[in-house]
Structures are given as C-alpha cells and as structure tokens.
Amino acid sequence: MDRMDQKIVAILRRDGALTGVELGERVGLSASAAHRRVKAMEAEGLIRGYRVRFSPQALGMPSTLFVSVTLTDQRQETLERFEAALKRCEQVVEAHLMGGEIDYNVKLAIPADDSYERVHRDVLAVLPGVERLRSQISIRAVVEQA
Amino acid sequence: MDRMDQKIVAILRRDGALTGVELGERVGLSASAAHRRVKAMEAEGLIRGYRVRFSPQALGMPSTLFVSVTLTDQRQETLERFEAALKRCEQVVEAHLMGGEIDYNVKLAIPADDSYERVHRDVLAVLPGVERLRSQISIRAVVEQA
DNA sequence: TTTGAAACCTTAAACGC
DNA sequence: GCGTTTAAGGTTTCAAA
C-alpha cells in the first residue's frame, strides 16, 4: 500500500469499471503495471470484490427501512444468536453493532410487493433476544454509497 | 425486464465481475445474448454502474457513524439547502429523508486519522437548518450490503 | 518493479435463423 | 428475440531491464 496504490484506490472508488489501460493513463503507469497492482490488492484482500449498482426498478423497487434493536441482555451468547439470525434474513442489507443506548442498527430492503407489516411480524419480531424494536422508514435516499 | 433479466440481476448482484461467457453459462444463454441483455440494462438505466468493494484497511480503516438529524423546520427550501450541503460532505456515505420523528438519517465514514469530535464540530454542526443531532457509533459491521 | 509485446479472452457488431 | 462469426480491443503472462 504505497502512494500509487492509494491513488488507484481513489480512482477505482469513483469508477469500478475502468480498464487497465485507462487506469494506467490516469495514474501514470503502463496498463500491465496498473493491472498487476490491482491484482495484488485483490490477492491481499484489500479489494474484496466487484458489485453492480442496480436501479431500484431492477430490484423491484424495494423501500428502505431502518430498525433500531435493543436486546434483552448483552451476553455474548445472546449477541451471537441474534447476529446469526440476522445474517439469514435476506431482507437485511446492512447491520451494525452499536455503541450507546441501542444495540443494533439494521437496514432492510422491503420488496414493493411485500408489506412493512408482514416484515415486522414475520422477520423482525421473530429474531431471538429482541426486547424492543424501533422502525423508521426512508422516504427517499438523498445520498447513496459515495 | 422479463424472467431472464431477473435471473441475470440475481446472479450479478452476488458477483459483479462476471464475464458474458460465464454469465451465459449460468443462465442458459450464449455469451453474446447474455452480454446484450446486460448492455441493454445499462442503456435503460437499470444498471447504474460498477463499483469496487474495498476492505476498510484499503480505505484507511474508517469508522462508521450514524447521525439522526432534526431540522428547524420542514420547508422545502430548508430541506434543499440541507441536502445540497450534505452532498458536498465527502464523509457522508449515505443519507435518507425519513418518515416520522427524525428528518434525516445520515451515515458517515470517519477516517482513522480523523476524530469524531472534529467531524462533529467541522462537518455536522456546520450544516444549514440543523436543530438537533443524535450520533451513534458503529462498533462493528455485522452484515454489509447483501 | 517496471515495461513492452505476445497469447489469450472478452466484447460488440453483423448476419442468418 | 437467439446464436454464430468476426474484428477490435482488453487482459494476462513473460522475458528483459
């Protein structure tokens, strides 16, 4: 991770579909040198993979829900069971163990053909160790994944 | 957007770096047919672009902060000024206009060499129209971007 | 580690089905 | 619509510096 790698990271963060040729031109290396650095970062785990950004239409116009979760206690076993259950929920897009009052902050994508009520009843209320849930609905995404 | 396109979306959601050849094999089309569909989805805006997933190390180990924002009022002009300012903040990774009590839910990435206190003082408190800020720190990401 | 070139693979258009 | 072919260009590897 030298200065050149950081330069490549900065460029690739903005556009993930750059060719080795263009990347090389932008950082001042040959195509193969630039490409080899990218492959090295992949091998080291600095680059975890590549993703396609889909429009909400392509994904069935899901709406976004944020749920603050308080568990019954903070015992390691309670956390582990809750996290394992979370990971199995396909509606869960992102989840964080939090500091402060709330234990978990969970982001869900709810398909257009599904209801918030059903997800609350069948997905969230079923999670093990939950004491309190506080849900907030996103009306509109203002900024997305810089 | 027929059944085949949905199949392609499902596969590409998991791995964004698939070639037309491999994609074709997985959905049961020729390489060129699969590739044509992907290009068509790009042209229609269903595919918005491609991103690289970096490890936190590659990005300087940023920590994640969630901030609930209440504005002084909900006038259109207040919202627009606040949103425009948000979009200029490079620390802001994601932001949603919310329903209910809180007006905005903002996710920030704070570089390891930066402090929460500085971001709160120089980035958040400076935003126009802010009445109240409630910050929560992520200790650990449990699920990320299914 | 870099470069430059060769071999290989992918992409994108043309054609017929 | 799909598949095959084909030319252009991108990727990957390798020898040499």
Side-chain angles (χ1 to χ4, degrees):
Chain A
M1 249 335 241
D2 59 3
R3 207 98 203 92
M4 186 61 83
D5 282 331
Q6 285 171 22
K7 217 162 150 185
I8 290 172
V9 168
I11 291 172
L12 247 35
R13 245 155 85 84
R14 279 184 258 183
D15 186 352
L18 282 181
T19 65
V21 176
E22 199 173 338
L23 185 60
E25 282 172 9
R26 298 260 291 262
V27 296
L29 284 177
S30 72
S32 63
H35 182 253
R36 197 156 32 66
R37 278 171 178 273
V38 172
K39 288 294 153 190
M41 287 194 271
E42 288 176 10
E44 288 169 44
L46 294 172
I47 289 177
R48 291 177 149 182
Y50 298 86
R51 314 215 82 132
V52 183
R53 278 161 47 83
F54 289 101
S55 74
Q57 289 95 316
L59 303 175
M61 300 255 202
S63 56
T64 301
L65 188 67
F66 290 90
V67 183
S68 301
V69 180
T70 306
L71 298 186
T72 52
D73 60 81
Q74 275 76 45
R75 281 162 45 218
Q76 187 61 25
E77 192 205 328
T78 309
L79 301 186
E80 279 171 8
R81 284 185 58 215
F82 175 76
E83 290 183 14
L86 259 194
K87 285 175 186 165
R88 282 194 296 271
C89 292
E90 61 173 27
Q91 292 89 352
V92 172
V93 171
E94 193 175 344
H96 294 261
L97 173 63
M98 305 298 290
E101 297 278 300
I102 281 146
D103 292 323
Y104 287 92
N105 201 348
V106 181
K107 179 184 171 185
L108 296 106
I110 300 182
D113 59 2
D114 203 341
S115 75
Y116 164 56
E117 200 240 325
R118 197 201 67 77
V119 171
H120 195 283
R121 175 163 37 84
D122 297 349
V123 179
L124 298 174
V126 165
L127 293 169
V130 168
E131 179 166 295
R132 199 166 50 244
L133 295 171
R134 195 173 66 101
S135 301
Q136 293 173 277
I137 295 175
S138 163
I139 295 174
R140 173 169 54 83
V142 177
V143 179
E144 269 177 308
Q145 285 295 108
Chain B
M1 250 331 241
D2 59 6
R3 206 101 204 90
M4 186 61 81
D5 281 332
Q6 285 172 23
K7 219 163 149 184
I8 290 173
V9 168
I11 291 173
L12 247 35
R13 244 155 86 85
R14 277 184 259 179
D15 187 352
L18 283 181
T19 65
V21 174
E22 199 173 339
L23 187 59
E25 282 171 11
R26 299 258 290 263
V27 298
L29 284 176
S30 72
S32 64
H35 185 250
R36 259 197 303 250
R37 279 174 179 272
V38 172
K39 288 293 152 191
M41 286 194 271
E42 287 175 11
E44 287 168 45
L46 293 173
I47 289 177
R48 290 176 150 183
Y50 299 86
R51 317 214 81 133
V52 183
R53 276 162 48 83
F54 289 101
S55 74
Q57 289 94 316
L59 303 175
M61 302 253 202
S63 56
T64 301
L65 188 69
F66 290 91
V67 183
S68 301
V69 180
T70 306
L71 297 186
T72 52
D73 59 82
Q74 274 76 43
R75 282 162 46 218
Q76 187 60 25
E77 191 204 329
T78 308
L79 302 187
E80 279 170 8
R81 283 186 58 216
F82 176 76
E83 291 183 14
L86 260 194
K87 285 175 189 166
R88 282 193 296 271
C89 292
E90 61 172 27
Q91 291 90 351
V92 172
V93 171
E94 193 174 345
H96 294 261
L97 173 62
M98 304 299 290
E101 297 279 299
I102 281 146
D103 293 322
Y104 287 91
N105 201 346
V106 181
K107 178 184 170 186
L108 297 105
I110 300 183
D113 59 2
D114 204 343
S115 76
Y116 164 56
E117 199 241 323
R118 198 202 65 79
V119 171
H120 195 284
R121 175 165 36 87
D122 296 348
V123 179
L124 297 174
V126 165
L127 292 168
V130 169
E131 179 165 299
R132 201 165 51 243
L133 295 172
R134 196 173 64 103
S135 301
Q136 293 173 276
I137 295 175
S138 163
I139 295 174
R140 173 169 54 85
V142 177
V143 180
E144 269 178 311
Q145 287 291 109

